[in-house]
Amino acid sequence: MLNSSAARKLSLMTAKPQRFTNFAEIAGAAAKKPRTMTTDAAHSGLNMKNAFSNYATYLNNLNDKRERVVKASRDITMNSKKVIFQVHRISKHNKEEVLQKAENDLAAVMDQYIARLVKELGGTDFWKLRRAYSPGIQEYIEAATLCSFCKTGALLNLDEINASLRTLGDPSNEPLQINVLDYLLGLADLTGELMRMAMSRISDGELEFAEKICRFVREIYRDLTLVAPKMDDSSDMKHFSDMKQKMDVMLQSVMKIENACYSVHVRGSEYIPFLGSEDTSFSMLGVPENE
């Protein structure tokens, strides 16, 4: 039997290894903690680097796409202008022939250039790149509505234009739909072309057709004066400013057509030679300013 003193010594001897073992565990845990923090920081830095690399790749691809969209928009603008020039060759002797050629050229713009634009925009939110392709779309609307008016005497509306675009591009992607503001801006430009056509028709003695143009342009201007004040959208102030300027030009076009038609009715054929004259001694009404 061990006495109490021997038992106490034995108890102290057996407890020492336990205390040593606890210190070793604590020291090991303390040594591992800095290594864990370093690993987490390195992993976080790697994730951030990868994220910014992905952002840079996305922005570079978007900028490259924007450049291709701008090029497609320029091609649409250039070829739509050719359609407009073709329509201005119209006369009472070649109307069907000129309109047929213009419609074929307009179809080529749709099949070649707008189709390429739709392909570039496939899978992309259209609003992100709208500023890049808006000028071309406006010019196409101007050409398409001009052809439609000369053929049918009616206005080609936005739903009809958008319906023709649904056949382009990949059916699995969202189809390109023309913005309402782009359509209205294209209509504003249309009135300028109709004013030039009216002057040309009066010079050729087609007063009835010029009066038809006058009524059509007046109606467009009247409707846009009701719509334009409601287009004050701070998210697109540039296009809203463009519309305000075009409304002023549109009013001038309406007045020029009205004055020309009125002058022909009042003064007859003696006014016609002055339609294309740059002589400032004659007013819009065909009456000399000194009278």
Side-chain angles (χ1 to χ4, degrees):
M1 294 293 293
L2 296 174
N3 55 28
S4 59
S5 177
R8 187 165 52 253
K9 289 181 180 180
L10 182 60
S11 175
L12 292 173
M13 290 176 65
T14 56
K16 286 180 180 179
Q18 182 65 32
R19 291 172 62 191
F20 178 80
T21 301
N22 291 340
F23 286 140
E25 290 177 357
I26 294 172
K32 291 179 180 179
K33 191 172 183 180
R35 289 198 298 270
T36 302
M37 292 177 64
T38 303
T39 303
D40 290 344
H43 183 67
S44 177
L46 182 61
N47 287 341
M48 184 175 294
K49 182 177 180 180
N50 290 337
F52 276 98
S53 178
N54 292 335
Y55 297 153
T57 301
Y58 170 78
L59 291 176
N60 288 334
N61 292 337
L62 185 63
N63 287 333
D64 291 342
K65 177 173 287 191
R66 180 179 288 106
E67 292 299 321
R68 295 193 298 270
V69 168
V70 169
K71 176 63 169 60
S73 177
R74 289 173 180 168
D75 291 339
I76 294 171
T77 299
M78 180 179 64
N79 288 278
S80 296
K81 286 184 180 295
K82 292 180 180 179
V83 174
I84 294 173
F85 297 154
Q86 175 68 23
V87 175
H88 277 297
R89 297 189 180 98
I90 195 172
S91 70
K92 57 186 177 182
H93 304 294
N94 63 359
K95 179 178 179 179
E96 293 184 1
E97 178 184 352
V98 169
L99 286 180
Q100 185 61 49
K101 178 67 166 58
E103 288 179 346
N104 293 339
D105 293 344
L106 191 66
V109 174
M110 171 74 75
D111 296 336
Q112 298 179 26
Y113 303 104
I114 295 184
R116 193 176 79 202
L117 174 64
V118 172
K119 183 178 179 181
E120 289 291 350
L121 293 172
T124 305
D125 292 330
F126 297 130
W127 60 268
K128 291 182 179 179
L129 298 175
R130 177 173 166 256
R131 292 280 183 91
Y133 65 82
S134 177
I137 292 297
Q138 293 177 37
E139 197 70 30
Y140 173 77
I141 291 171
E142 183 180 353
T145 51
L146 181 62
C147 285
S148 177
F149 171 77
C150 291
K151 183 176 181 179
T152 66
L155 179 64
L156 183 66
N157 62 47
L158 180 58
D159 291 338
E160 292 172 326
I161 296 177
N162 280 332
S164 65
L165 297 178
R166 294 192 182 99
T167 60
L168 304 176
D170 188 351
S172 62
N173 293 328
E174 182 182 358
L176 173 64
Q177 296 293 279
I178 294 175
N179 184 278
V180 175
L181 182 54
D182 288 336
Y183 175 73
L184 296 180
L185 289 169
L187 287 188
D189 291 334
L190 168 67
T191 59
E193 298 300 333
L194 289 175
M195 182 272 293
R196 297 182 185 92
M197 179 173 289
M199 297 302 172
S200 178
R201 296 304 91 222
I202 292 175
S203 298
D204 288 347
E206 298 182 56
L207 182 59
E208 183 178 351
F209 188 37
E211 291 175 341
K212 180 179 179 181
I213 293 175
C214 183
R215 291 190 296 270
F216 184 72
V217 173
R218 188 190 297 127
E219 184 176 353
I220 292 177
Y221 177 76
R222 182 187 61 202
D223 292 342
L224 285 182
T225 55
L226 300 176
V227 175
K230 300 179 181 180
M231 294 167 52
D232 189 359
D233 184 0
S234 58
S235 64
D236 199 351
M237 289 303 296
K238 179 183 182 300
H239 286 87
F240 176 68
S241 177
D242 291 344
M243 175 56 76
K244 291 181 65 176
Q245 295 177 4
K246 290 185 178 185
M247 288 295 294
D248 294 337
V249 176
M250 194 186 311
L251 177 59
Q252 295 176 14
S253 297
V254 173
M255 293 176 63
K256 287 179 181 178
I257 302 173
E258 290 179 342
N259 288 339
C261 292
Y262 172 78
S263 297
V264 173
H265 276 293
V266 172
R267 302 190 64 189
S269 60
E270 67 180 33
Y271 170 74
I272 293 178
F274 302 112
L275 284 177
S277 175
E278 297 181 358
D279 188 350
T280 58
S281 63
F282 290 91
S283 70
M284 185 59 66
L285 293 176
V287 181
E289 298 290 350
N290 57 3
E291 289 188 6

